[in-house]
Amino acid sequence: MEQTNSKGQWGSRFGFLMAIIGSAVGLGNMWGFSYKMGSNGGFAFLLIYVILFITVGVAMTITEMTLGRKTGKGVIQAYGELGKQYSFIGWLGWLSPFFILAFYTVLGGYTIKYVIANLGDIFGASWGIGSTDSGEFFGAFTSNQLESTVYTWIFALACILVVVMGVSKGIERVSTIAMPALFVMLLIVIARAVTLPGAGEGLEFMFKPNFEVFRGSGWISVLASAGGQLFFSLSLAMGIMVTYGSYMRKDDDIQGNSIIIPLADTIVAIMAGMATMPALFAAGLDPGQGPGMLFITLQVVFQSMGVAGGVFGTIFYLLVFIAAWTSCISVYEACGSAVIDKLMENGKVEGTRTKAFCIIGALSLIEATLVSLDGLGANGFPQLFGQETLLDVFDLFSEGIMMPLGALLTAIVFGWIKNDWLDDEIERDGRKFWMKGFWNICIKVIAPLMMFLVLIGQINNFFGLKWF
Ligand code: PHE
């Protein structure tokens, strides 16, 4: 097989798809999607989300993936190849995942803690949750600085280890085993959730047409929330699609992939909703509870099931761990890949990967340690930029500002300035760029409009401005 990228290459199309879907399917699906749907009117959110994924999701995926494959570079240098004046978009796409590492690793550490705690409950062990109030358990853990920092480090090192092993030997190998396993576990949890007495209400909340929110201006905030969720969930404007695209084989079907990836991600998000919503409704809990849902509310559901709760809890948090792990791996790869490019400038390839990840690994551990020490605001750290927790500060800059801004600029550049730049690469596998007409409408008009709304919506939410 033609080795096209000296930095690495996917071994097979399936391997690439598992890796990129592994990146897309993460805490955003298992947690963000459900609770945002919960607080944004259920069905209405789902409907808007699906429309957005068909228009914006597919078009942005194809754009970023092709930019990566055409240049064969990490995100900073890939945008740089469009012209010097565009490299700052690459920098946005690099800084954004770098800031995400600060808190994603901390949350990943929490998932490990919960796997262990639920495992403990199966055996009635003292390190289980037992009958402790789930909110108290979570609070005690997050404010225990030493313990939560240790878990953060374990999680981060588990990611760094995989990326150091390489694109095909590390990331691809882990993803091809982990993603199918995740899928099976999800099916098991869904089977349990939908058969709980009273679960029907949860399904109704998700799937029964309800257009309540379209009456006032509330739909703008639903739209902004769904748009933000879509980008985060698809790992767009994070340098990831570009980076993973750069390791793609030249004969791979870019257009086909750009449909499969968002579709698979959306299906898993809906499935995650089906695993959580019915359980929450069955237990009489509030679905729009915010981020605490994953570690507090759902744990209440498991606790109410007795010993079986330990079993389902373990499976559930293990699947959340896998989702977070394969996502965080991609965040590391996106940051590291650009550093590898830099290190390779003098022509040396040997050892650059390890060196790049020693640098990124060390930097990420510093920022992550700060976030874990903050303990979701429990430990009296000063509040910055009007945010309650340090996690929110990093999230504000990455997901709140740089991500929508980077996406907006990307759409404008490829829609209006470099409209033909990607065509030859898309057609390189011998298929015509049959989507071009549709892609044009999405990239020129719908995506910029959406990203603008998302940007405003995020600023509105982060600063509690109540504009709409
Ligand atoms: N897409 C992942 C999710 O849904 C998270 C993620 C965001 C991964 C950004 C990489 C970059 O959780």
Side-chain angles (χ1 to χ4, degrees), residues 23-29 100 104 232-235 238 240 327 330-331:
S23 167
V25 171
L27 293 173
N29 303 60
I100 287 216
Y104 215 81
F232 187 78
S233 190
L234 285 179
S235 308
M238 293 281 169
I240 290 170
S327 291
S330 73
V331 187

Side-chain angles (χ1 to χ4, degrees), residues 287-326:
Q289 256 239 330
M293 187 189 101
L294 188 64
F295 297 111
I296 302 177
T297 324
L298 279 170
Q299 186 58 48
V300 174
V301 177
F302 295 125
Q303 271 172 309
S304 69
M305 292 179 189
V307 177
V311 177
F312 286 107
T314 306
I315 300 176
F316 179 76
Y317 288 108
L318 190 60
L319 94 86
V320 179
F321 160 74
I322 292 177
W325 189 34
T326 48

Side-chain angles (χ1 to χ4, degrees), residues 150 393 424:
V150 169
V393 175
D424 60 334

Side-chain angles (χ1 to χ4, degrees), residues 173-291:
R173 212 191 299 157
V174 165
S175 310
T176 27
I177 300 169
M179 291 315 289
L182 176 144
F183 196 74
V184 173
M185 287 189 260
L186 192 52
L187 288 177
I188 297 174
V189 180
I190 292 178
R192 172 67 278 199
V194 299
T195 50
L196 289 166
E201 235 181 290
L203 294 175
E204 212 168 88
F205 179 70
M206 287 178 72
F207 299 117
K208 191 161 157 223
N210 169 0
F211 301 98
E212 207 62 31
V213 293
F214 295 106
R215 295 227 172 91
S217 67
W219 63 273
I220 301 181
S221 86
V222 178
L223 191 69
S225 161
Q229 170 63 22
L230 180 83
F231 268 72
F232 187 78
S233 190
L234 285 179
S235 308
L236 287 169
M238 293 281 169
I240 290 170
M241 213 51 99
V242 176
T243 306
Y244 275 23
S246 75
Y247 307 134
M248 234 168 126
R249 294 156 42 145
K250 292 288 186 192
D251 56 1
D252 206 344
D253 173 9
I254 289 193
Q255 294 177 91
N257 288 346
S258 75
I259 297 173
I260 296 175
I261 298 160
L263 186 65
D265 182 64
T266 305
I267 290 174
V268 175
I270 294 174
M271 286 173 71
M274 291 171 68
T276 52
M277 286 293 148
L280 293 178
F281 274 87
L285 297 164
D286 178 7
Q289 256 239 330

